[in-house]
Amino acid sequence: MQTAAGWGKPNSFGQYLLVPALYAAIMVLLAVVVLPYLGARPITERGLQEWDAEHYVFIRNHGYDLIRTAFFPAFPLLWRATGLAAVGIGVLNLGLFVLAFAALARAWRFTLAQQLLALSAPSMFFMAVPYSEALFFVAGTAALIGWRQQQAPLAWAGLLLCSCTRSVAFLFVPALLLAAWLLRRQENQLVWRQALGGALASGAGMLISLWMHYRDTGIWLAFAQAQRQGWNIRLQVPAWPLASWGGDMMTRYESLALLVGIACASYLGYLLLRPGKAVSLPFAVVFSLAYLAGVAAITVSTKGGTVASLSRYVFATPFFAVLLSWVLGQVRFSYKQLLWVWLAAEVCWLILFRSYGHVRTLLAYLLLGLAAIGVLATASPHRRVRQVALVLSVAGNSALLLLLLQRFLSHEWAG
């Protein structure tokens, strides 16, 4: 593998802001004006209050009941404080995301190609609806920038807000400790300070959220009851083959997120066996590996074989964006390596999703594998291959992003 030379890299925040702002503007124009003109479903107040958004509306207006303690309080509190309607909070979410993405891209020096690939991840449409994803992205970005710039208080504040936004402290704490263990040969005191301070901040965010659940319901650990009784989320043997809500298309999309989690877990296993290889890795990269591997493992082991929402937990996060940028910035993928990645992906899907069940299903997974290696091909040694792969990947991802948004507006499962 050869080291990848970057595309042109702007330096000012304004230059980094230009790419996500323009991309978001184009997607909004397509979603609000062009697609409805062509007969697609328009964006409305009611259309945006689907799935989890419906629960956030209830919490904003009435506080928690037992079942809704599955959701954490930071986003509904923000929504209540702003007094905005569904469209308004969607616009605010999108604005926060654009600013956070620009800050993340500047701190981690994303190239233009890396920015476009991360922005066009199809699950990024959640940044413009009444979900907690945009606030989680902002908080995660603060943590990643804090680690990048060795500003521990900023990282801890980001982890605290993350843990008030989603139930991630159970995952963050072991991920932080694993990262510190793997990087113990670096500046030992600094690494453990980052990890232990982050673990305390994550735990504090969880305790704040659990107290707010108790304040409204009068039940200690209502979150745990809600997970078991209301959502059937508990440690259980997964059914086989794995599947998702929303039919075959969503199952295949979620399977791509699971593949990312498996790849991260495999690389972490390699680092555990060869700890010397981890010495040069940034703390944030190792943490991102652990987060993505962990969220995939938790989803598979607690939902009975349903991988619903895994794509959102993986792709609509700053941790995926940083890891994608790091991989594409470190490696030039040869044709042989891309072929091996494709074959490995197909084997995983054959085993986990029984993709051999029908010829049409097998063909769909073969095409999905091609789409995945198309993203990696943007780090090819050959300039023409990189350019073609980038155009095809961004165009295809953007089209799927708009399709998922249409599914969401139609009350169909979109992640």
Side-chain angles (χ1 to χ4, degrees):
M1 296 183 182
Q2 305 171 26
T3 302
W7 298 52
K9 297 181 179 180
N11 295 312
S12 72
F13 179 78
Q15 288 175 298
Y16 276 102
L17 181 62
L18 184 62
V19 175
L22 284 177
Y23 183 83
I26 291 170
M27 290 295 104
V28 168
L29 179 64
L30 290 172
V32 175
V33 178
V34 177
L35 292 182
Y37 177 77
L38 296 175
R41 187 176 291 271
I43 295 175
T44 63
E45 282 288 318
R46 183 67 192 94
L48 288 175
Q49 297 179 42
E50 300 288 358
W51 301 105
D52 289 4
E54 184 178 357
H55 298 293
Y56 285 126
V57 169
F58 182 94
I59 298 167
R60 178 199 65 180
N61 294 335
H62 309 291
Y64 283 102
D65 60 10
L66 176 60
I67 296 302
R68 290 179 175 87
T69 57
F71 300 91
F72 273 34
F75 174 65
L77 285 177
L78 173 66
W79 196 353
R80 183 187 301 172
T82 62
L84 296 170
V87 171
I89 197 66
V91 173
L92 177 61
N93 274 347
L94 184 59
L96 290 173
F97 164 69
V98 167
L99 292 172
F101 187 92
L104 183 71
R106 183 172 184 264
W108 284 84
R109 294 294 187 264
F110 289 4
T111 65
L112 175 60
Q114 292 161 6
Q115 290 181 72
L116 291 173
L117 289 169
L119 286 166
S120 64
S123 294
M124 287 299 190
F125 87 87
F126 282 107
M127 301 300 167
V129 301
Y131 268 49
S132 63
E133 263 56 40
L135 189 58
F136 185 77
F137 196 99
V138 170
T141 293
L144 291 166
I145 293 176
W147 288 327
R148 177 73 165 179
Q149 300 177 351
Q150 296 188 357
Q151 297 178 14
L154 178 61
W156 298 340
L159 294 173
L160 175 69
L161 182 55
C162 278
S163 299
C164 289
T165 305
R166 292 230 297 257
S167 55
V168 291
F170 304 103
L171 177 55
F172 276 11
V173 171
L176 287 162
L177 297 178
L178 177 60
W181 173 258
L182 286 171
L183 300 176
R184 63 192 182 278
R185 297 186 183 182
Q186 294 183 7
E187 296 181 50
N188 194 52
Q189 187 176 0
L190 176 61
V191 167
W192 283 107
R193 180 169 174 263
Q194 289 175 330
L196 295 177
L200 289 173
S202 300
M206 180 184 68
L207 290 175
I208 292 170
S209 302
L210 295 180
W211 176 80
M212 294 193 68
H213 293 164
Y214 172 75
R215 184 196 64 181
D216 286 0
T217 65
I219 302 172
W220 280 111
L221 299 179
F223 168 76
Q225 288 190 40
Q227 293 289 323
R228 291 194 306 271
Q229 299 173 13
W231 304 90
N232 193 32
I233 296 178
R234 55 186 173 80
L235 190 63
Q236 53 189 303
V237 177
W240 181 81
L242 301 178
S244 179
W245 304 332
D248 292 340
M249 189 199 89
M250 288 309 304
T251 295
R252 286 190 284 272
Y253 180 53
E254 305 278 16
S255 75
L256 191 57
L258 181 58
L259 184 67
V260 171
I262 291 172
C264 291
S266 300
Y267 191 62
L268 285 172
Y270 170 75
L271 293 178
L272 287 169
L273 293 174
R274 303 284 299 276
K277 298 291 185 180
V279 172
S280 62
L281 298 180
F283 185 91
V285 168
V286 179
F287 176 84
S288 297
L289 285 166
Y291 168 80
L292 295 174
V295 76
I298 289 174
T299 300
V300 171
S301 61
T302 61
K303 292 188 175 182
T306 298
V307 291
S309 299
L310 181 57
S311 56
R312 174 159 49 99
Y313 300 153
V314 169
F315 298 132
T317 67
F319 309 112
F320 174 75
V322 162
L323 193 58
L324 177 68
S325 171
W326 180 79
V327 170
L328 297 180
Q330 294 295 315
V331 179
R332 288 293 195 207
F333 288 96
S334 67
Y335 293 132
K336 183 178 180 180
Q337 290 166 336
L338 292 174
L339 179 60
W340 278 113
V341 170
W342 187 27
L343 291 175
E346 299 304 330
V347 169
C348 285
W349 291 328
L350 281 169
I351 295 171
L352 298 175
F353 293 90
R354 203 168 64 182
S355 61
Y356 55 82
H358 191 281
V359 172
R360 187 172 62 182
T361 302
L362 179 60
L363 179 60
Y365 276 100
L366 290 172
L367 293 174
L368 182 64
L370 283 176
I373 66 170
V375 173
L376 299 181
T378 61
S380 166
H382 307 288
R383 183 169 176 268
R384 180 66 65 181
V385 172
R386 294 199 302 271
Q387 292 174 335
V388 172
L390 178 63
V391 170
L392 293 178
S393 294
V394 173
N397 289 347
S398 300
L400 183 54
L401 184 155
L402 292 171
L403 176 60
L404 291 180
L405 175 60
Q406 281 294 303
R407 287 179 62 91
F408 180 87
L409 295 171
S410 303
H411 197 60
E412 296 180 75
W413 184 249

